[in-house]
Amino acid sequence: MFVSGETGDPSPETTGMIEEIVRQQVVEILSQCNELAIRRGVRTISVVDLFFLIRKDVAKTSRLKDFLSWKDVRKTAKDTDEKGGDADIGGDDPIGGGEMPGSGGPMVGDGTKKNKRSKISLPWDIESFYSERVPERDDEEDEDEGESNYATLKRLKAADERTKDMTKDEYVHWSECRQASFTFRKGKRFREWAGFGVVTDSKPNDDIIDILGFLTFEMVQTLTEEALKVKAEDDVYKAKTGGEDNTKKRKRETGLFDPPEEGNAPVNEHHVREAYRRLQSRANKPKVWLGGTRQLRRTRVQLI
């Protein structure tokens, strides 16, 4: 939450509510993946099932493809080093402790061809419809990658705005908080927390755990940003009306010897609840009236 812009100290009730919302989202993801696996005639969920659930978010899908492809490069380079070979993937780790790779690429050299990133193709991609594929070119631009870069630059700009007035110690603390993860070195606890073995009987591999860790981080960030918008609207409303009691009294001006005002209050449970309601609201689509013969059905939880 601190990385997403929350500068205050939220209460345990607020953080507990966000954790419970994220847990419900993960359970819903596993339930839908389990249904997709049953339709495919298998009992274990796969990475393709997770990609299928977020396929409409092109930027997030492209970032996940980048993450898995660079992870494969790191694993190949590590195996090569253990066997005594020389592997050069162009310098240091491009994803830097869980961050997605930015602009640029590996350095030019013989090792870059040896450890080139493999392009991840999904069953619903156009390339998978044909038996033969067009050879890849280095100067070829991908539309999905362009949207991913745009979303990454937007996040980096927001992070720069939040950290431009920080001191050195504050920025170090912010960088440490940025590395927070639900899954890093907590794989067993995360499996129990997410409901593996209860919601689904399949045993997840490392890629599934990493993808879920990425999605949970995105959920917390989206919830916090939306809750901050709700809080900002409440603050504007209170400033115009004079407080929660909606009195018409004019707000007293600050005097010279008045004590300093308290810092910004953190988001509370009301803000998180309203943010979750907005993220769950669906667009009103025209529906055919069936004369009241259609029974009410429980709608699915919309994934954040």
Side-chain angles (χ1 to χ4, degrees), residues 224-240:
T224 304
E225 292 175 352
E226 192 67 27
L228 289 174
K229 293 179 182 178
V230 175
K231 179 180 175 296
E233 294 176 1
D234 286 352
D235 292 342
V236 172
Y237 175 77
K238 292 176 183 178
K240 291 181 178 180

Side-chain angles (χ1 to χ4, degrees), residues 145-215:
E145 187 175 356
E147 294 191 18
S148 175
N149 293 335
Y150 174 76
T152 303
L153 290 176
K154 189 176 180 180
R155 287 286 178 88
L156 290 176
K157 182 179 179 181
D160 185 59
E161 290 293 330
R162 293 164 186 161
T163 58
K164 64 181 181 180
D165 296 328
M166 288 185 179
T167 62
K168 179 180 178 180
D169 296 337
E170 290 175 348
Y171 185 78
V172 170
H173 176 64
W174 184 86
S175 301
E176 293 175 354
C177 294
R178 197 179 186 184
Q179 305 301 323
S181 172
F182 278 81
T183 58
F184 183 66
R185 295 181 179 178
K186 297 184 287 286
K188 183 178 180 181
R189 292 177 56 188
F190 179 80
R191 290 182 180 90
E192 297 175 355
W193 177 80
F196 282 100
V198 179
V199 181
T200 177
D201 295 332
S202 63
K203 295 182 179 180
N205 53 27
D206 294 338
D207 289 340
I208 292 178
I209 296 297
D210 290 339
I211 292 176
L212 289 176
F214 169 79
L215 294 178

Side-chain angles (χ1 to χ4, degrees), residues 20-244:
E20 185 61 27
I21 291 175
V22 174
R23 183 178 178 274
Q24 291 177 1
Q25 291 282 306
V26 174
V27 170
E28 183 67 21
I29 288 175
L30 294 179
S31 300
Q32 295 187 25
C33 287
N34 198 28
E35 294 178 2
L36 293 174
I38 293 175
R39 291 181 182 179
R40 291 189 293 108
V42 295
R43 299 182 58 183
T44 59
I45 62 177
S46 65
V47 174
V48 178
D49 298 328
L50 291 172
F51 271 105
F52 184 78
L53 296 180
I54 62 172
R55 66 191 184 280
K56 295 182 180 180
D57 193 338
V58 180
K60 187 178 294 184
T61 303
S62 179
R63 292 174 63 194
L64 271 179
K65 288 181 179 179
D66 259 356
F67 173 71
L68 293 179
S69 60
W70 280 114
K71 180 183 176 183
D72 184 62
V73 170
R74 291 171 54 189
K75 183 178 179 181
T76 304
K78 183 178 179 181
D79 295 341
T80 305
D81 291 341
E82 290 178 354
K83 293 179 181 179
D86 296 331
D88 182 13
I89 59 174
D92 296 335
D93 179 13
I95 44 182
E99 294 294 324
M100 297 299 161
S103 59
M107 297 173 61
V108 178
D110 297 336
T112 57
K113 297 181 180 179
K114 185 178 180 180
N115 296 282
K116 186 178 179 181
R117 288 193 304 162
S118 59
K119 185 177 180 180
I120 298 177
S121 60
L122 299 173
W124 53 86
D125 289 340
I126 299 178
E127 294 83 358
S128 63
F129 298 163
Y130 304 95
S131 58
E132 297 182 2
R133 296 186 179 182
V134 178
E136 299 180 7
R137 297 187 308 174
D138 296 337
D139 57 346
E140 186 177 3
E141 295 182 359
D142 190 359
E143 295 180 0
D144 296 349
E145 187 175 356
E147 294 191 18
S148 175
N149 293 335
Y150 174 76
T152 303
L153 290 176
K154 189 176 180 180
R155 287 286 178 88
L156 290 176
K157 182 179 179 181
D160 185 59
E161 290 293 330
R162 293 164 186 161
T163 58
K164 64 181 181 180
D165 296 328
M166 288 185 179
T167 62
K168 179 180 178 180
D169 296 337
E170 290 175 348
Y171 185 78
V172 170
H173 176 64
W174 184 86
S175 301
E176 293 175 354
C177 294
R178 197 179 186 184
Q179 305 301 323
S181 172
F182 278 81
T183 58
F184 183 66
R185 295 181 179 178
K186 297 184 287 286
K188 183 178 180 181
R189 292 177 56 188
F190 179 80
R191 290 182 180 90
E192 297 175 355
W193 177 80
F196 282 100
V198 179
V199 181
T200 177
D201 295 332
S202 63
K203 295 182 179 180
N205 53 27
D206 294 338
D207 289 340
I208 292 178
I209 296 297
D210 290 339
I211 292 176
L212 289 176
F214 169 79
L215 294 178
T216 49
F217 183 87
E218 292 282 329
M219 291 174 191
V220 174
Q221 192 167 12
T222 305
L223 272 173
T224 304
E225 292 175 352
E226 192 67 27
L228 289 174
K229 293 179 182 178
V230 175
K231 179 180 175 296
E233 294 176 1
D234 286 352
D235 292 342
V236 172
Y237 175 77
K238 292 176 183 178
K240 291 181 178 180
T241 58
E244 297 180 356

Side-chain angles (χ1 to χ4, degrees), residues 243-254:
E244 297 180 356
D245 53 353
N246 198 14
T247 58
K248 297 183 179 180
K249 297 180 180 180
R250 188 177 63 179
K251 186 177 180 180
R252 188 177 67 86
E253 297 181 358
T254 305

